[in-house]
């Protein structure tokens, strides 16, 4: 296996990382390699069948050209400040520049202790590795910016967690970079202005080259990150995704979804939905995600104050003014995106209120979020000249609502609104099909997949991966995967215990 490394992070000064190798594992066994992604990254997989690939993705063999290191960062975890976190169980092997010209990190997760492990064992168990594999690839297929899954291996070792000894695994994650809001916070908190500047310049060159041309490049950097994050959070919300640990160390500067710990997709719609077992106060609930993102971005702006302007008061003014723009940018992405889901575009004056009222109706009626939009798309199909009557979708929608009359009244209002723009029924249907998935990685399916994998049965993993790679396409032979959990299948909490 050949990886065409082209490493840049390792050229940064020492205070950005600790150079060290991953810790070997007992008996690496390949679970999965993402061959399409490997190809895009220019990785030659001709010896995939040999043990070499398993050895590399387990961290037992260091591939030629790798410069393994653990990155340092800080972060606010659930609002509490930790001055030094860092890769406690992860190693950055290096970067490649893909055939698409995009530079990506190759990062092993579960690869042993590092100077940043604190009390942790540096390892991961199979469950969260497979969860991250499925959910990150599903996100990518949904068209949402995300880190990707390149490989997963079993280690042949046991990992001790609350539940007892569990099978160990290593996950190979690919990201446009692993720089986080917390990376900036680390250097700011140490008062290392030189490092803040080095990092900002590196990020601009790597992710936001257009910011270099702005009058105030560091302000442009905040704006660029803010725009990416505002769009990302809106996209999460439009598929019912709840990240679960939106700590500043889990917010990517490149604007990708990162760190799939206790994340989950909501079944029944309610803005207060939370799954993470440690999020008792609902800090990171579905509907709180924009305000948390805003808060995290203000931490980024604060970390850049020393280089925003030499006069601290002026710097604060610039930072504040920039961050104050978040709500408006977010609202635009949020309402445009939900408008498309409801088939309302271009947006008209009363649409944000209509969207808000409609979501309230879904919440009051405890409606399954994904099924609602998927079958509203079915109704949109019935509005075509040669469309079916939409009876099936109407019947399913009726079944989702506690009060049928509320649905009937709403559909009447909705149809009325549809007559008020020039969008044709064909255009409307096409758009709705591209934003309303048929399949999402539902929690109960993920849990069942993990249970099977622990007993050595990876068929449910392969099936979920395959179905979710085409989330917007109907796949009648897999229609059972569209369904929400039966009462006894509902997963009430997801665990950080990764
Ligand atoms: P997370 O909540 O997964 O984003 O992790 C927060 C911090 O805890 C990061 O610095 C991780 O590297 C560290 N961490 C999480 N799990 C482990 C583990 N098993 N061993 C060592 N460090 C860990
Ligand atoms: Mg993290």
């Amino acid at each position: 296996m050949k990886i065409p490394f082209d490493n840049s992070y390792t050229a940064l000064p020492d205070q950005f990382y600790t150079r060290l190798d991953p810790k070997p594992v007992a008996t690496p066994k390949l679970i999965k390699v993402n061959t399409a992604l490997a190809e895009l990254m220019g990785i030659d997989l001709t010896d995939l069948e040999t043990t070499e690939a398993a050895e590399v993705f387990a961290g037992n063999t260091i591939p030629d050209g790798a410069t393994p290191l653990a990155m340092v960062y800080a972060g606010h975890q659930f609002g509490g400040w930790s001055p030094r976190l860092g890769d406690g169980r992860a190693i950055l092997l290096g970067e490649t520049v893909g055939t698409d010209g995009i530079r990506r990190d190759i990062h092993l997760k579960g690869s042993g202790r590092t100077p940043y492990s604190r009390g942790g064992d540096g390892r991961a168990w199979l469950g969260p590795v497979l969860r991250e594999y499925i959910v990150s690839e599903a996100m990518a297929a949904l068209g949402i910016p995300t880190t990707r899954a390149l490989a997963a291996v079993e280690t042949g070792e046991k990992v001790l967690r609350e539940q007892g000894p569990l099978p160990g695994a290593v996950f190979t994650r690919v990201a446009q970079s692993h720089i986080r809001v917390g990376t900036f916070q680390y250097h700011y908190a140490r008062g290392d202005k030189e490092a803040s500047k080095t990092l900002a310049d590196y990020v601009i060159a790597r992710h936001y080259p257009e910011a270099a041309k702005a009058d105030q490049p560091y302000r442009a950097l905040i704006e660029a990150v803010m725009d990416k994050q505002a769009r990302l959070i809106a996209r999460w919300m439009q598929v019912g995704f709840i990240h679960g640990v939106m700590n500043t160390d889990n917010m990517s500067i490149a604007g990708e979804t990162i760190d799939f710990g206790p994340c989950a997709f909501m079944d029944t719609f309610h803005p207060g939905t939370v799954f993470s077992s440690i999020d008792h106060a609902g800090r990171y609930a579905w509907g709180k995600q924009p305000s948390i993102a805003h808060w995290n971005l203000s931490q980024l702006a604060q970390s850049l104050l020393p280089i925003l302007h030499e006069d601290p008061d002026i710097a604060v003014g610039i930072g504040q003014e920039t961050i104050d723009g978040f709500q408006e940018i977010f609202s635009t992405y949020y309402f445009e995106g939900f408008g498309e889901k409801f088939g309302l575009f271009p947006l008209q004056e009363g649409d944000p209120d209509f969207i808000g009222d409609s979501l309230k109706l879904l919440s009051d009626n405890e409606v399954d979020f994904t099924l609602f939009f998927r079958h509203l798309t079915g109704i949109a199909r019935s509005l075509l000249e040669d469309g079916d009557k939409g009876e099936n979708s109407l019947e399913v929608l009726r079944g989702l609502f506690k009060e049928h009359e509320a649905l009937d009244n709403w559909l009447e209002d909705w149809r009325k609104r549809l007559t008020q723009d020039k969008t044709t029924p064909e255009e409307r249907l096409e758009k709705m099909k591209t934003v309303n998935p048929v399949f999402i990685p539902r929690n109960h399916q993920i849990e069942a997949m993990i249970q099977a994998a622990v007993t050595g049965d990876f068929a449910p993993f392969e099936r979920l991966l395959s179905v979710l790679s085409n989330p917007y396409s109907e796949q009648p032979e897999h229609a059972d995967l569209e369904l929400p959990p039966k009462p006894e299948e509902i997963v009430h909490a997801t665990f950080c215990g990764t």
Side-chain angles (χ1 to χ4, degrees), residues 73 77 85-89 109 116-118 120-123 161 245 247 249-250 259 496 498:
Y73 49 85
Q77 301 178 300
L85 292 165
D87 292 332
R89 48 149 171 188
K109 191 166 168 182
Y116 313 114
S117 298
R118 297 173 295 161
D121 60 4
R123 294 298 184 190
R161 293 290 180 265
V245 254
N247 297 335
D249 53 301
N250 291 336
D259 270 4
C496 238
T498 53

Side-chain angles (χ1 to χ4, degrees), residues 121 187 279 288 293 298 318 389 440:
D121 60 4
H187 300 289
D279 191 0
K288 296 265 185 67
S298 71
I318 297 172
K389 292 208 184 78
I440 51 157

Side-chain angles (χ1 to χ4, degrees), residues 64-373:
D64 286 347
T67 51
L69 59 88
M71 294 166 75
V72 68
Y73 49 85
H76 279 95
Q77 301 178 300
F78 290 88
W81 170 242
S82 293
R84 201 175 86 144
L85 292 165
D87 292 332
R89 48 149 171 188
I91 293 288
L92 175 67
L93 286 181
E95 302 141 40
T96 70
V97 178
T99 53
D100 55 359
I102 296 180
R103 175 178 293 277
R104 295 180 178 86
D105 282 0
I106 305 177
H107 182 99
L108 302 183
K109 191 166 168 182
S111 50
R113 287 181 53 80
T114 76
Y116 313 114
S117 298
R118 297 173 295 161
D121 60 4
R123 294 298 184 190
W125 79 273
L126 184 62
V129 165
L130 297 183
R131 172 187 288 272
E132 178 155 353
Y133 203 118
I134 294 282
V135 181
S136 62
E137 286 306 294
M139 285 297 238
L142 285 164
I144 299 176
T146 179
T147 60
R148 302 285 307 268
L150 182 61
V153 294
E154 285 183 280
T155 61
E157 294 173 4
K158 292 284 184 212
V159 174
L160 201 58
R161 293 290 180 265
E162 261 173 50
Q163 307 94 307
L166 297 163
V170 179
F171 181 69
T172 306
R173 176 164 73 190
V174 164
Q176 297 216 4
S177 86
H178 282 81
I179 300 166
R180 306 136 192 273
V181 169
T183 318
F184 281 95
Q185 288 183 291
Y186 174 79
H187 300 289
Y188 170 68
R190 286 160 44 102
D192 190 343
K193 184 174 164 184
E194 199 50 43
S196 297
K197 188 176 175 326
T198 302
L199 182 61
D201 290 339
Y202 177 84
V203 166
I204 288 175
R206 181 163 175 180
H207 297 300
Y208 302 106
E210 63 289 356
K213 297 178 213 132
D215 286 346
Q216 297 175 307
Y218 303 128
R219 179 191 184 135
L221 169 62
I222 303 170
E223 284 168 349
V225 175
M226 190 161 82
D227 187 78
K228 281 256 166 81
Q229 283 293 339
R231 179 169 179 276
L232 178 67
I233 309 292
R235 295 287 287 119
W236 285 356
M237 293 176 79
Q238 284 146 13
V239 293
F241 181 74
I242 301 157
H243 182 282
V245 254
M246 283 179 68
N247 297 335
T248 55
D249 53 301
N250 291 336
M251 187 182 253
S252 152
I253 290 294
E256 294 180 320
T257 314
I258 191 168
D259 270 4
F260 296 82
C263 68
F265 283 73
M266 176 165 67
D267 297 304
T268 304
F269 177 67
H270 191 285
T273 307
V274 167
F275 289 97
S276 169
S277 61
I278 55 168
D279 191 0
H280 305 294
R283 181 180 170 90
Y284 299 147
W286 179 85
K288 296 265 185 67
Q289 298 181 113
S291 58
I292 290 291
H294 191 183
W295 189 86
N296 288 351
L297 288 162
S298 71
Q299 297 304 311
L300 173 67
Q302 179 166 345
S303 302
L304 287 168
L305 288 180
I307 58 172
L308 272 178
H309 200 280
E310 55 207 28
D311 179 330
D313 291 335
I314 298 178
V316 168
I318 297 172
Q320 192 64 52
E321 194 186 295
T322 314
I323 289 301
D324 283 348
F326 178 83
Q327 193 52 47
E328 200 183 322
I329 297 170
F330 171 76
S331 287
T332 304
Y333 284 126
Y334 180 84
F335 287 115
E336 278 181 358
F338 265 110
E340 291 179 352
K341 285 181 77 72
F342 281 107
L344 313 179
F345 57 92
L347 280 186
Q348 302 198 348
E349 206 180 315
D351 285 347
D353 286 341
F354 180 80
I355 290 167
D357 293 345
S358 305
L359 290 176
K360 169 122 192 356
L361 187 75
L362 298 189
S363 162
D364 290 346
N365 278 272
E366 298 173 17
V367 170
D368 184 88
F369 185 75
T370 307
L371 280 183
F372 172 80
F373 285 105

